[in-house]
Amino acid sequence: MNKEQFADNHFIRTIIEDDLASGKHKHIHTRFPPEPNGYLHIGHAKSICLNFGLAYLYDGVCNLRFDDTNPEKESDEYVRSIKEDVQWLGFHWEGEPHFASDYFEDLYNYAVALIKDGKAYVDELNAEEMRQYRGTLTEPGKDSPYRSRSAEENLDLFTRMRAGEFPDGSKTLRLKIDMASGNINLRDPVIYRIRRVHHHRTGDKWCIYPMYDYTHAISDAIENITHSLCTLEFESHRPLYDWVLDNIAIDGHPRQYEFSRLELLYSITSKRKLNQLVTENHVSGWDDPRMPTVSGMRRRGYTPEGLRLFSKRVGISKSENVVDMSVLEGAIREELEDSSPRMMAVLNPLKIELINYDEALTQSRSAPFHPHHEEMGEREIPIARHIYIEQDDFSLNPPPKWQRLTVGGEVRLRYSYVIKCEEVITDEAGNVIELKCSIDHDTLGKKPEGRKVKGVIHWLSAEHAVPAAVRLYERLFTVERPDAVRGDDGEYKPFTEFLNQHSVTEIDAYAEAVANTLAPETRFQFERLGYFVTDRYDHTTDAPVFNRTVSLKDSWHD
Ligand code: ATP
Ligand code: MG
């Protein structure tokens, strides 16, 4: 990793530099706080690059903290996948991962202290009543009839809430702030609710669970976080974050700063909706290569370097951050261009017999695995009597300016000879099934005499090519904003209506023999076709499986 890899001067960097310069902080300490209720997606990748990237840039540290206060939806599987994804992206957290549930006892004790100070009370309004009392954006709320209980009574009730004396949902603990506040988040927010749900770490120890805002502020302070970075929807929660820290006895007061959420067109960045794709079997799992999850993008062949480059490009600001998929694909392609070795593969084979192939005369050449990286080595490109080319590199009735093969025309086989098509063999229906071509033996490594042959096509010796399954992926959705399309009735349509029915095709293809030597997750450029990766799970040396990561050019709009 190097320091150039992170987003340039943005407002959060300016704040940090000022804090370091003024001596407000000697070291910076950030955190990445996912809720373990799903796999991480591209939006989280941006947040990871920001939080871990800032720690890296300013020689600080970044914690990984699981914000596990909603036990219904959380699980160890998600914890495991999140750790794996952060590491795969190239980052290291400070010490052991933290869990908000590690602080349940502290959070409880701070709540008791707030009650004793007259700053929190046990309420008995049900959810519907609470909504009515809350008021609206334009009208103040009303005080709950339970708001004026004594500290003793509140303490007794809260202790008994914890002890399991009351049914789920029958009582809450609320902060006593201001029911008339212009900021609805300050209208006596609930900080504890009763919920008998098994927790992935604390089991059945607790039947009351703290709410997000309360938990988050205190967790940040316990961990001595200096800069608590979150997305813009939390801007109006900041006064509550500050209120909590100002009203409990805790050292340090982390500062919250907000930046805009990344949204990716033709995609979805919501764990809840991604979960729906998984549970309704629209995809094979969270790590399906079509998913915008970190694990899906990994399986698709995206690289950590490419994702970091993308995060840098999308930048950090408070303005809208809606990004076209081509920006992501462009960053991935750009990074793979330099890092991927090349091979040839034929996806839709058309067989050719080289009629003047002569074992004694016709030679093979070797070619570098990468045009600019000698250290990647070379491989032999064997030739034989039968070869495969791509079906669409031949045309019976070519359009004007056709530079590939046609009857009587010539083309160069990449790293090999110029060949001429002498005869076309068709089946009864008129489909081209084989070509007979001649080799110009005087063209290996040199130009043909007296004429120009412009076209160069990729090919494979049929004798040496190895079969490989190739999975061609397209975008998962057919519209830019699948979750924001409204019907005639003005209601949002289900985003699953906009799934691309052709987002994956598996074909039987051929590749160079090197395909039989590769480990899973090895990336290659198939010349003229795109970037491919051996599948993380299904690939074996005996039966290679490649996933298309991204095509060579942005072909989406033409
Ligand atoms: P989702 O709606 O997908 O569940 P979330 O914000 O609820 O997202 P968390 O697990 O709470 O998910 O997020 C962990 C961190 O990642 C938070 O700091 C959050 O702000 C950040 N984050 C989540 N989604 C995005 C996004 N699209 N762009 C930038 N940061 C994001
Ligand atoms: Mg969340």
Side-chain angles (χ1 to χ4, degrees):
M1 223 179 281
N2 65 57
K3 296 195 173 182
E4 306 305 302
Q5 287 188 344
F6 298 97
D8 302 320
N9 287 327
H10 51 74
F11 75 100
I12 299 177
R13 282 184 68 163
T14 310
I15 290 167
I16 289 177
E17 282 170 19
D18 289 350
D19 287 348
L20 290 171
S22 72
K24 180 175 174 192
H25 296 296
K26 286 202 174 55
H27 299 285
I28 73 143
H29 199 152
T30 55
R31 86 287 170 267
F32 172 65
E35 183 180 357
N37 62 347
Y39 283 55
L40 299 181
H41 54 61
I42 184 74
H44 296 111
K46 169 178 170 164
S47 176
I48 290 169
C49 289
L50 174 66
N51 282 294
F52 286 93
L54 287 170
Y56 176 77
L57 275 173
Y58 295 102
D59 300 319
V61 290
C62 181
N63 289 5
L64 174 63
R65 182 197 317 139
F66 292 97
D67 166 29
D68 54 350
T69 54
N70 275 313
E72 292 92 338
K73 296 188 182 137
E74 297 164 359
S75 78
D76 288 336
E77 179 199 344
Y78 297 140
V79 170
R80 185 200 53 73
S81 72
I82 289 169
K83 288 190 210 167
E84 182 177 284
D85 288 350
V86 172
Q87 286 174 320
W88 179 78
L89 281 168
F91 297 104
H92 309 281
W93 50 82
E94 170 74 358
E96 289 296 307
H98 298 259
F99 291 84
S101 56
D102 294 343
Y103 312 132
F104 279 174
E105 199 64 48
D106 302 282
L107 293 163
Y108 179 83
N109 290 330
Y110 285 119
V112 166
L114 285 164
I115 292 172
K116 287 182 180 161
D117 286 349
K119 292 175 178 166
Y121 62 98
V122 172
D123 200 0
E124 289 174 41
L125 295 182
N126 63 31
E128 181 48 37
E129 290 162 332
M130 214 177 274
R131 234 189 319 278
Q132 284 163 11
Y133 276 75
R134 189 177 300 133
T136 64
L137 284 175
T138 48
E139 286 163 55
K142 290 189 300 191
D143 287 358
S144 161
Y146 305 98
R147 198 178 199 261
S148 49
R149 292 203 229 251
S150 69
E152 291 71 41
E153 192 184 358
N154 281 318
L155 202 53
D156 172 61
L157 288 171
F158 188 53
T159 314
R160 289 163 61 198
M161 276 168 66
R162 175 179 183 170
E165 288 188 28
F166 308 115
D168 284 12
S170 61
K171 291 184 174 46
T172 55
L173 185 70
R174 299 179 71 174
L175 295 178
K176 195 187 272 192
I177 306 182
D178 179 6
M179 286 307 293
S181 172
N183 182 339
I184 293 190
N185 293 308
L186 295 180
R187 294 184 189 168
D188 291 10
V190 171
I191 60 167
Y192 269 92
R193 67 238 196 270
I194 307 176
R195 209 172 270 190
R196 288 174 174 76
V197 190
H198 190 81
H199 186 281
H200 75 119
R201 297 188 82 235
T202 58
D204 297 315
K205 179 170 180 208
W206 294 88
C207 64
I208 55 172
Y209 289 102
M211 301 293 281
Y212 175 83
D213 286 318
Y214 175 75
T215 306
H216 200 76
I218 298 177
S219 305
D220 279 348
I222 291 175
E223 293 177 16
N224 296 311
I225 301 303
T226 54
H227 300 80
S228 177
L229 313 178
C230 61
T231 37
L232 271 179
E233 67 273 23
F234 289 101
E235 193 165 25
S236 65
H237 297 237
R238 189 180 346 124
L240 174 55
Y241 182 99
D242 290 332
W243 189 98
V244 169
L245 296 181
D246 288 340
N247 284 278
I248 63 173
I250 196 164
D251 289 337
H253 187 134
R255 293 293 161 186
Q256 173 181 308
Y257 300 97
E258 308 86 17
F259 61 98
S260 49
R261 269 182 111 74
L262 170 70
E263 283 180 70
L264 194 59
L265 296 179
Y266 293 100
S267 191
I268 270 180
T269 45
S270 149
K271 277 184 275 180
R272 186 178 60 74
K273 290 173 189 160
L274 294 173
N275 192 15
Q276 190 182 336
L277 291 175
V278 175
T279 52
E280 294 178 1
N281 295 314
H282 299 294
V283 293
S284 65
W286 284 98
D287 60 2
D288 186 302
R290 292 166 293 175
M291 290 281 269
T293 51
V294 173
S295 53
M297 294 188 291
R298 171 177 179 177
R299 198 169 164 197
R300 175 83 170 248
Y302 289 15
T303 57
E305 295 79 7
L307 288 169
R308 296 201 298 263
L309 178 62
F310 170 72
S311 295
K312 173 174 175 164
R313 290 209 174 136
V314 301
I316 299 294
S317 74
K318 280 182 180 281
S319 49
E320 222 186 58
N321 196 204
V322 184
V323 176
D324 193 84
M325 192 64 115
S326 60
V327 179
L328 174 57
E329 290 174 349
I332 299 300
R333 195 182 283 124
E334 194 172 314
E335 199 280 314
L336 287 173
E337 151 69 24
D338 189 56
S339 64
S340 302
R342 276 51 167 166
M343 77 160 102
M344 293 194 281
V346 174
L347 303 190
N348 299 296
L350 174 61
K351 201 166 196 177
I352 293 182
E353 183 182 352
L354 298 171
I355 49 180
N356 59 342
Y357 174 83
D358 176 347
E359 206 169 323
L361 187 64
T362 314
Q363 290 170 13
S364 300
R365 277 181 60 190
S366 61
F369 274 116
H370 193 291
H372 312 301
H373 289 290
E374 250 178 47
E375 73 284 4
M376 289 189 188
E378 298 203 334
R379 84 285 193 197
E380 166 112 342
I381 310 283
I383 189 163
R385 176 166 292 272
H386 292 100
I387 65 168
Y388 295 125
I389 66 163
E390 212 67 68
Q391 282 169 19
D392 63 8
D393 279 334
F394 175 79
S395 173
L396 266 181
N397 302 300
K401 297 192 182 161
W402 178 257
Q403 291 190 352
R404 292 171 272 166
L405 202 54
T406 183
V407 193
E410 288 185 295
V411 78
R412 174 169 304 271
L413 300 177
R414 178 91 161 128
Y415 306 123
S416 190
Y417 296 93
V418 169
I419 60 168
K420 180 175 182 185
C421 178
E422 308 284 356
E423 187 186 343
V424 179
I425 299 173
T426 51
D427 64 10
E428 282 161 16
N431 299 311
V432 177
I433 52 171
E434 196 181 325
L435 306 177
K436 307 267 185 205
C437 297
S438 59
I439 303 172
D440 180 344
H441 274 104
D442 200 22
T443 54
L444 189 65
K446 57 178 169 175
K447 290 189 177 144
E449 281 294 304
R451 62 201 195 278
K452 272 209 170 98
V453 175
K454 284 199 188 144
V456 182
I457 62 172
H458 62 274
W459 62 285
L460 290 168
S461 150
E463 270 98 295
H464 301 86
V466 299
V470 172
R471 297 171 181 165
L472 301 173
Y473 293 104
E474 301 286 340
R475 291 173 189 179
L476 190 51
F477 292 98
T478 54
V479 297
E480 283 193 344
R481 294 171 177 269
D483 50 357
V485 179
R486 291 181 196 266
D488 294 338
D489 56 2
E491 296 293 316
Y492 284 121
K493 294 191 176 185
F495 68 95
T496 47
E497 274 186 28
F498 305 102
L499 282 163
N500 175 5
Q501 298 306 320
H502 309 286
S503 55
V504 56
T505 325
E506 181 163 327
I507 56 174
D508 294 323
Y510 291 101
E512 288 186 36
V514 66
N516 280 141
T517 66
L518 305 178
E521 295 196 271
T522 309
R523 299 177 182 85
F524 265 88
Q525 183 195 95
F526 289 175
E527 294 204 31
R528 297 178 66 227
L529 297 175
Y531 295 96
F532 292 74
V533 65
T534 52
D535 190 74
R536 188 174 173 195
Y537 303 113
D538 302 336
H539 169 86
T540 63
T541 50
D542 292 339
V545 180
F546 287 92
N547 299 331
R548 180 166 67 197
T549 307
V550 63
S551 58
L552 280 188
K553 292 201 183 79
D554 183 5
S555 57
W556 187 251
H557 293 288
D558 56 32

